[in-house]
Amino acid sequence: DGQLTKLADYKGKWVLVNFWATWCGPCLEEIPDLVDLHRAHKDKDLVVLGVMMDYETSDDPMGFINKMKMDYPIIPGTAETTGQFKDVSMLPISYLYNKSGQLVEKHFGTVSKEGLEEYIREYGKKKTPLKKPLKKKAATAAKKTAKV
């Protein structure tokens, strides 16, 4: 909607920043889980922010976003946006910030609602980053990523 988005605006909530593109198969595979995750938590404890890496080159970015029912904030993947993150060399990639705004996880590959919810529950018990995947059964499935 053209509004400036800052992580500080979400202090007190978990924030998942997910980089994706319309041409990235694994990205499209995780979008329904991200929609479900955002809907389940947006009014409580977590927000999903999507960074669309092909926003400026896609024929109809808003049509695609609407078709996928992505009702979480979508940010164009400009050089200014991506420059704020250390690594966006593969898609999808997700950065997870805790309620204090601290980066606790950087994850290459797809994520799932179930895996993220479990990670957040376990993090709440220990207050330290975990060595758990953000996608359930990630140990048995190959990580799915696409080169940018």
Side-chain angles (χ1 to χ4, degrees), residues 7-91:
L7 287 177
D9 294 340
Y10 301 103
K11 195 156 187 144
K13 287 188 175 189
W14 286 85
V15 178
L16 179 72
V17 181
N18 175 260
F19 290 82
W20 64 280
T22 58
W23 51 261
C24 169
C27 300
L28 305 182
E29 184 180 301
E30 73 181 352
I31 287 173
D33 263 19
L34 295 177
V35 169
D36 290 346
L37 179 73
H38 182 72
R39 288 178 181 167
H41 295 273
K42 67 180 177 178
D43 295 325
K44 297 182 281 186
D45 59 353
L46 180 141
V47 66
V48 175
L49 301 176
V51 181
M52 186 176 182
M53 297 301 290
D54 59 345
Y55 190 90
E56 294 175 344
T57 58
S58 178
D59 290 337
D60 183 14
M62 290 310 297
F64 182 85
I65 291 164
N66 292 333
K67 180 178 129 191
M68 296 299 288
K69 299 180 170 107
M70 300 169 77
D71 55 357
Y72 50 87
I74 303 295
I75 302 159
T78 63
E80 181 181 357
T81 302
T82 59
Q84 298 175 50
F85 296 85
K86 291 184 178 176
D87 188 2
V88 187
S89 60
M90 291 185 177
L91 296 177

Side-chain angles (χ1 to χ4, degrees), residues 93-111:
I93 183 169
S94 296
Y95 288 82
L96 182 64
Y97 295 85
N98 67 15
K99 291 181 176 187
S100 300
Q102 298 170 312
L103 177 65
V104 294
E105 188 69 41
K106 176 175 82 171
H107 180 82
F108 288 102
T110 57
V111 296

